[in-house]
């Protein structure tokens, strides 16, 4: 075996790419600071009881776990910094009505998220706690746009969804856990035949609603179409109202709406979004609302934010010349 080989999807960063990455980190943290976001630095490892509680099975599978030789307890190497920031908000900064927090640091994944994707992303992002209205969603979306522009990514498409639509339909249909999980996967894959099979026993209005979700993708006309073809449930109407408000404020952005976008369904509770640039198949930035995560830390309250991978930003952006 060659001693200098690194594990698959783990790599060194060499100059000048390393300098570009560091320049971006500094520019982004300065931007966040100027917008009132305070820097926090969570630990690389912590007990899995707090690291993984409430975040869903997907993140659990991504997380490397080791036994702490000091306490004998199971520890995890973080695969996402957002749950750690939620813990900080709930326990260490609980006296503040509103917290605007930002962070930058490496995370580690057991498996790559895609072809040629690093298992050691360098995650940077911002989170807003304590604000429930659409104004907070817009603040985070606009900050993400400014962050991408600061990284010389001026042209991108912003895909927006709202997990509240699917949640409302699933509650109305009284789906059990196994069926809901299968239906979730079919909708993510936009597999119309599987959706039809899984919803065959439901009332026709709900069958038609679930069948419509994978087709509800496109420009702002999708929002009007959704109002005409989905049941007029209060939670569905509320979700569409939020998306309408976002559309009015971000109308000049290249927007696409996707009501079958359920990424992060395990812990997201409202608007979800992702930015795509440079013809890349995976997002250069993503985020959404996750009001329920703080509940497991004893402080359930509104929360929304976004994150980016510095490795991906460097490869998607133009050289800065710095």
């Amino acid at each position: 075996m060659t001693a200098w080989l690194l594990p698959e999807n783990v790599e060194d960063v060499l100059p000048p790419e390393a300098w570009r990455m560091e320049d971006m980190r500094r520019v982004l943290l300065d931007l966040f600071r100027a917008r009132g976001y305070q820097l926090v630095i969570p630990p690389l490892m912590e007990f899995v009881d707090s690291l993984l509680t409430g975040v869903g099975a997907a993140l659990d599978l991504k997380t490397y776990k080791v036994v702490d030789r000091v306490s004998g307890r199971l520890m995890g190497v973080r695969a996402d910094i957002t749950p750690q920031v939620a813990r900080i908000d709930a326990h260490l900064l609980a006296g503040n009505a509103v917290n605007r927090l930002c962070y930058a640091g490496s995370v580690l994944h057991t498996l790559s998220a895609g072809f040629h994707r690093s298992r050691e992303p360098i995650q940077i992002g911002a989170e807003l706690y304590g604000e429930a209205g659409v104004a907070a969603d817009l603040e985070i979306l606009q900050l993400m746009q400014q962050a991408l522009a600061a990284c010389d990514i001026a042209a991108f498409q912003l895909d927006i969804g709202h997990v509240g639509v699917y949640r409302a339909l699933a509650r109305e249909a009284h789906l059990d856990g196994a069926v809901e999980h299968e239906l979730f996967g079919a909708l993510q894959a936009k597999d119309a035949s599987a959706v039809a099979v899984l919803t065959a026993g439901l009332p026709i209005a709900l069958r038609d609603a679930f069948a419509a979700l994978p087709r509800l993708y496109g420009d702002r006309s999708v929002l009007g179409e959704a109002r005409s073809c989905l049941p007029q449930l209060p939670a569905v109407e509320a979700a569409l109202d939020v998306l309408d408000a976002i559309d009015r404020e971000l109308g000049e952005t290249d927007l696409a709406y996707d009501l079958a976008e359920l990424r992060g369904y395990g812990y997201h509770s409202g608007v979800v979004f992702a930015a795509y640039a440079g013809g890349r198949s995976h997002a250069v930035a993503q985020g959404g609302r996750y009001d329920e995560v703080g509940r497991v830390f004893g402080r359930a309250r509104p929360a929304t934010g976004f994150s980016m991978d510095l490795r991906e930003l460097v490869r998607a952006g133009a050289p800065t010349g710095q």
Side-chain angles (χ1 to χ4, degrees):
M1 180 179 295
T2 305
W4 50 263
L5 285 179
L6 293 174
E8 186 174 350
N9 298 111
V10 174
E11 62 183 353
D12 297 306
V13 182
L14 304 178
E17 187 175 69
W19 280 118
R20 290 179 56 207
M21 195 176 297
E22 176 61 14
D23 288 339
M24 281 188 179
R25 187 189 68 84
R26 296 177 190 180
V27 165
L28 290 171
L29 289 181
D30 284 346
L31 170 67
F32 298 157
R33 187 176 189 175
R35 297 296 183 270
Y37 287 75
Q38 301 300 311
L39 180 65
V40 294
I41 305 177
L44 181 63
M45 299 176 66
E46 58 180 283
F47 296 125
V48 294
D49 296 347
S50 62
L51 189 65
L52 298 177
T53 302
V55 298
L59 194 59
D60 190 3
L61 293 174
K62 287 183 178 180
T63 302
Y64 278 101
K65 303 176 183 71
V66 297
V67 174
D68 180 18
R69 293 181 64 180
V70 176
S71 67
R73 295 175 61 187
L74 192 63
M75 299 180 70
V77 181
R78 66 188 181 198
D80 185 0
I81 299 179
T82 298
Q84 295 183 295
V85 181
R87 173 183 54 75
I88 290 172
D89 168 72
H91 282 288
L92 303 179
L93 300 173
N96 300 333
V98 175
N99 281 319
R100 288 176 170 84
L101 304 176
C102 63
Y103 57 86
S106 292
V107 298
L108 188 63
H109 295 168
T110 55
L111 295 172
S112 171
F115 190 60
H116 286 325
R117 300 285 302 277
S118 174
R119 285 197 283 161
E120 190 191 7
I122 302 175
Q123 189 177 345
I124 187 166
E127 315 290 336
L128 172 53
Y129 297 91
E131 296 283 359
V134 68
D137 296 315
L138 282 165
E139 178 180 328
I140 285 294
L141 281 163
Q142 289 165 341
L143 181 60
M144 185 184 74
Q145 289 179 299
Q146 294 165 0
L148 290 172
C151 296
D152 294 315
I153 302 175
F156 58 88
Q157 177 177 297
L158 183 58
D159 281 13
I160 303 181
H162 198 301
V163 300
V165 174
Y166 174 72
R167 286 186 189 278
L169 295 175
R171 282 196 302 269
E172 188 72 11
H174 303 291
L175 299 177
D176 66 37
V179 173
E180 183 175 352
H181 179 74
E182 287 186 64
L183 183 55
F184 162 78
L187 288 170
Q188 281 288 81
K190 291 184 167 44
D191 186 344
S193 59
V195 171
V197 170
L198 291 166
T199 60
L202 298 178
I204 188 167
L206 286 172
R207 284 206 314 269
D208 290 346
F210 283 117
L213 288 182
R215 300 195 303 269
L216 291 172
Y217 174 81
D219 61 21
R220 59 179 52 89
S221 65
V222 163
L223 303 180
E225 185 181 350
R227 290 191 187 275
S228 65
C229 71
L230 296 180
Q232 294 182 346
L233 301 172
V236 171
E237 294 296 315
L240 295 176
D241 287 345
V242 169
L243 296 178
D244 274 329
I246 289 172
D247 186 79
R248 287 193 296 270
E249 292 295 325
L250 302 182
E252 299 303 314
T253 306
D254 184 6
L255 293 176
Y257 295 93
D258 186 356
L259 296 189
E261 174 52 71
L262 301 175
R263 178 185 42 80
Y265 178 70
Y267 66 92
H268 278 128
S269 58
V271 174
V272 291
F273 50 85
Y276 296 87
R280 305 172 79 83
S281 61
H282 48 269
V284 293
Q286 58 189 12
R289 180 164 286 281
Y290 55 99
D291 293 347
E292 299 302 315
V293 170
R295 184 180 304 280
V296 299
F297 302 118
R299 197 185 189 201
R301 72 198 200 112
T304 182
F306 72 93
S307 66
M308 304 180 288
D309 177 5
L310 281 173
R311 294 178 187 270
E312 296 295 332
L313 288 174
V314 164
R315 290 160 188 170
T320 63
Q322 292 179 318

